[in-house]
Amino acid sequence: MGDLLSAVWRYRHFITSSVRNDLKARFARSRLGAAWMILQPLAQVAIYSVVLSRVMGAKLPGITNEYAYSIYLMSGMLAWSLFLEVVTRSLTLFVDNGNLMKKIFFPRATLPFVAVGSALVSNMLLFVATLAIFAIVGHPPTLALLWLPLLTAVLVAFSLGLGLVLGVVNVFVRDVGQVMTVVFQLWFWITPIVYMPNILPGGFARVIAANPMYYVVKAYQDVLLNGRTPDLVPLAWMAVGSLVLLGMGFVMFRRAAPEMVDVL
């Protein structure tokens, strides 16, 4: 792991320039450019708000703001959008960069950090837009917002670890990418983002409790919606599990890298 971090530090300028080029390439011929990174998740929030706000609005105890459900949605979507982008980009990272891995010598371990950097820029822009909307609807931030960097770090570690494991397997079994598209759709709906967990029947509580994203999303909602310190015990377990998963992902990547180049 020390060699990995050392290589990443030596190639930090390569990583930052790659993130910059990646963002430029994604919106090269788009008139709105980077604004799409904000507009797409906000449009999804707006749709759910219009459809479900009257049904769910009364289910938020202790919140008097008339836009409480929209705030709840945006808090959860901020976490989910970062998770989904990191995992999906990592899932196809090695397949998409196959030619680069075969033709140019560089520490291949820098590729995941390029994906994470690009996702973090997108998420930061969405975060700024979220705070602006909160201010407009009369929901100013509190000091609990200081927990957000820690929550983001835990979420990135979990997302990148999962993405690396799936990305390595996807090089050898391309069906993984297709299967995960369906899995992510199901995963979204078993994570309390659009609905509150207290409206579910008792049996579903076990499914929710087994979902690691539940604890991160709930922590985001505690910080952004309720302005309070998140529950640290499950968050600590989540952090430990995320580091283990991240280490597993990099070990798999390092051991499989020579074979991956041949397959690609």
Side-chain angles (χ1 to χ4, degrees):
M1 186 61 72
D3 294 339
L4 169 65
L5 295 177
S6 177
V8 169
W9 176 252
R10 287 198 309 271
Y11 283 81
R12 62 190 182 279
H13 299 300
F14 169 77
I15 293 174
T16 53
S17 63
S18 297
V19 170
R20 193 180 307 113
N21 293 334
D22 177 72
L23 292 172
K24 288 180 180 178
R26 287 169 64 185
F27 305 104
R29 298 188 177 223
S30 172
R31 301 209 172 188
L32 294 179
W36 283 114
M37 291 188 287
I38 302 172
L39 293 176
Q40 288 174 346
L42 290 185
Q44 191 173 6
V45 168
I47 292 170
Y48 286 132
S49 295
V50 170
V51 174
L52 297 174
S53 59
R54 298 204 172 190
V55 177
M56 299 294 185
K59 306 291 184 180
L60 286 168
I63 307 297
T64 58
N65 192 303
E66 62 178 315
Y67 299 101
Y69 178 66
S70 297
I71 298 169
Y72 177 87
L73 265 176
M74 293 183 71
S75 302
M77 287 298 296
L78 187 65
W80 180 261
S81 62
L82 179 58
F83 163 74
L84 188 62
E85 184 168 2
V86 172
V87 176
T88 53
R89 287 175 67 86
S90 301
L91 177 60
T92 60
L93 184 65
F94 308 121
V95 175
D96 293 342
N97 292 279
N99 291 332
L100 184 65
M101 292 176 66
K102 289 188 287 187
K103 293 180 180 179
I104 302 177
F105 174 76
F106 68 100
R108 300 182 184 113
T110 58
L111 287 175
F113 292 92
V114 174
V116 168
S118 180
L120 283 174
V121 171
S122 302
N123 196 252
M124 180 59 66
L125 293 174
L126 179 60
F127 171 67
V128 172
T130 298
L131 289 186
I133 294 173
F134 283 4
I136 292 172
V137 300
H139 186 76
T142 65
L143 288 177
L145 206 63
L146 296 175
W147 286 101
L148 208 57
L150 176 62
L151 302 183
T152 302
V154 172
L155 179 55
V156 167
F158 174 69
S159 307
L160 182 58
L162 178 62
L164 282 175
V165 171
L166 294 173
V168 171
V169 177
N170 189 49
V171 172
F172 303 99
V173 185
R174 298 297 173 86
D175 293 336
V176 171
Q178 305 300 323
V179 171
M180 290 308 299
T181 300
V182 179
V183 170
F184 288 138
Q185 292 177 358
L186 176 62
W187 200 338
F188 175 80
W189 287 105
I190 62 173
T191 305
I193 297 173
V194 177
Y195 57 87
M196 278 61 71
N198 58 2
I199 71 172
L200 297 175
F204 286 96
R206 297 176 186 175
V207 178
I208 299 298
N211 178 7
M213 278 302 295
Y214 163 66
Y215 301 102
V216 180
V217 167
K218 184 178 182 300
Y220 268 73
Q221 292 162 346
D222 284 339
V223 167
L224 293 169
L225 174 66
N226 300 304
R228 67 189 181 202
T229 301
D231 193 350
L232 298 181
V233 174
L235 197 61
W237 282 109
M238 179 74 180
V240 172
S242 298
L243 290 176
V244 171
L245 184 61
L246 184 60
M248 184 188 306
F250 274 111
V251 169
M252 285 181 61
F253 170 54
R254 189 167 186 174
R255 292 185 177 181
E259 296 180 23
M260 289 168 57
V261 172
D262 294 335
V263 172
L264 292 170

